[in-house]
Amino acid sequence: MSRPNFFIIGAPKCGTTALAAYLSEHPSVFITNPKEPHHFNTDLNHGSYKSDKDYRSLFLGVSDSVSAVGEASVWYLYSDTAIPNILSKYPDAKFIVMLRNPVEMVYSLHEQMVFSNYENVSSFMDAWALQACRRNGENCPRMCPEPKLLQYKSACSLGFQYERLLSRVDRRKLYTVFYDDFKENPKKVWESLLSFLSVPDDGRVDFPVINSAKKRKSHMLMRVNDLYAKARSTIGFSGFGTGLFSRLNRWNMVFAPREPLPKEFDNLLRREFESDIKLLGELTNRDLRHWLESN
C-alpha cells in the first residue's frame, strides 16, 4: 500500500479544490477520493475517515507509476493537531498551503457552509454576529458536525495559522500559493508546484474554473438528501440504484455570484483582520496592504 507523501492542508475557499482536481489528472500524482478525508484533525469532529483502517483504504491500488501521493483536507491548517499528527507518521511529508484575502475568504466560507447545510443562518452579517454565543455552544445548527467550523474569524485568521505552521514545518517542505497568483497565472504556479513535488511537467495549459460560487434552490430538498445519505451510512444501505437523489442534488444547485457586502460591514471585516493580514505579509515577505483597501 502506498503512503501519502504530500498534503494540501488548506485553507478552505482558497483554490484547493481546483488544485487537487488538476493534480488528480497528472499521471505521476495520486489524490484520494474523496479529496478531504480529514483524518488527522483529531481536535475537530469533522470527516468520515477517522479510523486508521478507513484512512489506509484510500491509498489501496495506487499505481507504481505514481511518485506523489497525497490528499487535500482543507481544515488541517485550522486544526491544532493535524500537522503534528501527520509529522508523527510521515516526518518527510511535504505540505501545500493556499492563502487568500481573509475578507474575501470569510464571505465565501459562509456561503459554502450554507450550501453544505452546516450553517442555518443565510445572512453572513447575522452569522458573524453569532460567533460569540456559538463559542459557548448556543445557536449551533444541528446538522453541523463541528461548531468550530462556524467560528469564521478564527477559521480565516491565516496569519496566525501560517505562523503556527512555520513553527512546525521546515520551509523547504512547504509550498505556499496565493489565490490571487493562482487565479492570475495558473500555469506559472502549476509548473512551480510540480517542481516542488518532483514530478515532470505534464504540459497542462487548460485550467478551468472549479467550485464556483453556488447556492441551493431548496434547503428543504437539501436536508432530505442529507438525511437519506446519513441513513444509508448508518445502516450500510447501498441505495436504490436509480440515481434519483444524485439527480435531485444536481438540480438543486445553481451557480450565482455573491452579492457585494455592505460597505460598512466590509470595512468592519478589514479592521477585524488587519493585524492578521499584516502578520501574514511579514511571514511571507509579501506586501498585502491592498487586502486592507475598501472596494
Side-chain angles (χ1 to χ4, degrees):
M1 184 192 73
S2 295
R3 295 157 56 91
N5 53 30
F6 80 91
F7 297 83
I8 302 175
I9 58 175
K13 311 311 297 179
C14 292
T16 59
T17 298
L19 190 63
Y22 304 155
L23 284 170
S24 70
E25 296 174 356
H26 192 291
S28 299
V29 180
F30 174 85
I31 292 286
T32 59
N33 183 20
K35 80 176 183 77
E36 301 183 33
H38 285 113
H39 173 71
F40 291 101
N41 50 352
T42 51
D43 56 336
L44 301 176
N45 182 31
H46 178 247
S48 302
Y49 293 85
K50 291 301 188 184
S51 77
D52 289 340
K53 179 181 178 181
D54 288 343
Y55 187 68
R56 289 195 301 268
S57 71
L58 295 173
F59 300 94
L60 295 174
V62 178
S63 171
D64 292 338
S65 64
V66 169
S67 58
V69 179
E71 53 129 313
S73 297
V74 297
W75 291 103
Y76 283 171
L77 183 63
Y78 179 44
S79 165
D80 189 47
T81 62
I83 305 306
N85 286 341
I86 291 171
L87 291 173
S88 69
K89 285 196 172 184
Y90 310 109
D92 295 325
K94 294 181 177 180
F95 297 90
I96 300 167
V97 60
M98 304 188 73
L99 306 171
R100 183 181 186 181
N101 185 341
V103 179
E104 298 174 357
M105 174 189 170
V106 71
Y107 190 19
S108 180
L109 179 61
H110 169 262
E111 180 183 67
Q112 182 64 49
M113 292 293 102
V114 173
F115 181 84
S116 302
N117 202 27
Y118 288 177
E119 173 63 86
N120 61 357
V121 178
S122 58
S123 164
F124 175 43
M125 289 187 290
D126 292 342
W128 178 268
L130 286 173
Q131 290 178 99
C133 67
R134 284 175 167 176
R135 198 175 298 118
N136 295 324
E138 303 170 12
N139 293 312
C140 296
R142 288 186 303 165
M143 297 298 289
C144 184
E146 176 54 74
K148 289 181 182 178
L149 303 185
L150 303 181
Q151 290 298 311
Y152 295 106
K153 183 176 180 181
S154 296
C156 298
S157 293
L158 300 183
F160 166 78
Q161 295 172 33
Y162 195 79
E163 183 177 45
R164 182 178 59 185
L165 179 65
L166 291 178
S167 72
R168 296 167 171 173
V169 175
D170 188 325
R171 279 188 184 264
R172 293 172 295 181
K173 297 288 187 179
L174 178 63
Y175 186 83
T176 302
V177 183
F178 279 87
Y179 176 84
D180 294 345
D181 296 343
F182 190 44
K183 186 177 180 180
E184 181 179 340
N185 195 339
K187 183 171 177 55
K188 182 178 180 180
V189 171
W190 179 247
E191 292 173 348
S192 177
L193 174 61
L194 295 184
S195 177
F196 171 74
L197 292 175
S198 300
V199 297
D201 185 358
D202 60 348
R204 174 183 281 274
V205 294
D206 185 26
F207 298 90
V209 175
I210 297 176
N211 203 22
S212 298
K214 53 189 178 292
K215 298 180 180 180
R216 298 288 188 182
K217 298 177 184 177
S218 167
H219 287 281
M220 179 61 72
L221 183 58
M222 174 181 63
R223 284 192 286 272
V224 170
N225 197 48
D226 285 348
L227 289 172
Y228 172 67
K230 288 181 182 298
R232 283 179 54 185
S233 176
T234 300
I235 66 176
F237 177 50
S238 61
F240 296 106
T242 63
L244 173 62
F245 280 89
S246 294
R247 291 197 299 273
L248 286 174
N249 190 48
R250 289 193 295 271
W251 173 87
N252 197 30
M253 186 187 308
V254 58
F255 293 91
R258 282 178 292 279
E259 294 291 330
L261 289 171
K263 188 172 182 178
E264 288 187 3
F265 187 63
D266 181 80
N267 288 334
L268 180 147
L269 292 176
R270 293 177 198 280
R271 292 193 299 271
E272 289 281 340
F273 286 108
E274 182 176 4
S275 61
D276 193 74
I277 289 173
K278 289 180 178 178
L279 173 61
L280 185 62
E282 293 170 0
L283 295 171
T284 58
N285 194 28
R286 179 114 171 193
D287 186 354
L288 301 177
R289 286 176 294 182
H290 62 287
W291 284 7
L292 295 169
E293 297 173 359
S294 300
N295 294 325

